[in-house]
Amino acid sequence: MFLILSIAFCLTFPSVLTSNSLLVNNLSGVQYESRMLDAFKNSSKVDIIVKMRDTSGIDIPQNISSEQQDSLQYERKEFLDNTINKLLENLSDGDFQLKGRYISGKGFFGNTSKKGFYRLINNSDIDTIYLSRTLSIGTDSFVPITDGIANENK
């Protein structure tokens, strides 16, 4: 159960911030990790995750049918997809290289130059920019398996 919750948390939040990486706000209201600029000292391009700000104005009430909720979620996703498309059209391949999008429409990820990063943090349609990094999931307990059966008594 703990592992499932951990995986759900990691999939919901694109990045887990460490104690030495705080979010910084710029004048456009875009948040980004404080270690972002340090990453450009080591590389001309860095992998990032971009979370979009939902400016669709589409609220999805809980007291409507699931079909109506699905329809509103689809409208919100289309709005966010169009916003992302416009944003990406204004970035050159040298500034940003798209690697993928989130199915929900709430964000995308890719590889950016420092110039591309500055263009992104000045776009008010963006909520947060995270450094992309690999996470490992582990447990704090061990259950030996004997003959294919978990045995907690050993």
Side-chain angles (χ1 to χ4, degrees), residues 60-65 68-69:
I60 303 175
Q62 297 299 315
N63 61 348
I64 60 175
S65 71
Q68 290 172 315
Q69 288 178 1

Side-chain angles (χ1 to χ4, degrees), residues 39 91 105 142 150:
L91 294 171
F142 173 76

Side-chain angles (χ1 to χ4, degrees), residues 2-83:
F2 174 75
L3 182 61
I4 293 170
L5 292 175
S6 297
I7 292 171
F9 176 81
C10 290
L11 294 176
T12 305
F13 296 95
S15 178
V16 177
L17 299 177
T18 59
S19 60
N20 62 352
S21 183
L22 304 172
L23 290 178
V24 176
N25 284 315
N26 78 341
L27 296 176
S28 299
V30 177
Q31 295 182 322
Y32 61 92
E33 287 188 61
S34 59
R35 296 185 319 151
M36 190 76 68
L37 296 176
D38 291 335
F40 285 110
K41 291 177 184 174
N42 301 326
S43 178
S44 62
K45 293 199 171 197
V46 297
D47 289 334
I48 61 169
I49 299 169
V50 178
K51 179 182 169 195
M52 298 299 293
R53 182 171 282 129
D54 184 1
T55 57
S56 67
I58 299 172
D59 291 323
I60 303 175
Q62 297 299 315
N63 61 348
I64 60 175
S65 71
S66 62
E67 290 83 13
Q68 290 172 315
Q69 288 178 1
D70 289 345
S71 176
L72 290 172
Q73 287 173 350
Y74 179 78
E75 283 181 47
R76 180 188 287 162
K77 181 186 179 313
E78 286 295 309
F79 177 86
L80 290 170
D81 281 342
N82 289 333
T83 303

Side-chain angles (χ1 to χ4, degrees), residues 79-127:
F79 177 86
L80 290 170
D81 281 342
N82 289 333
T83 303
I84 291 171
N85 288 339
K86 290 176 190 171
L87 185 151
L88 293 174
E89 286 173 6
N90 292 322
L91 294 171
S92 71
D93 286 341
D95 291 342
F96 184 81
Q97 193 171 31
L98 181 68
K99 289 187 177 179
R101 296 176 183 232
Y102 289 104
I103 295 171
S104 66
K106 294 182 181 179
F108 58 95
F109 50 97
N111 190 278
T112 189
S113 66
K114 193 172 187 177
K115 179 182 173 187
F117 170 70
Y118 281 118
R119 293 187 74 179
L120 289 169
I121 64 171
N122 288 307
N123 187 313
S124 60
D125 290 321
I126 294 175
D127 183 57

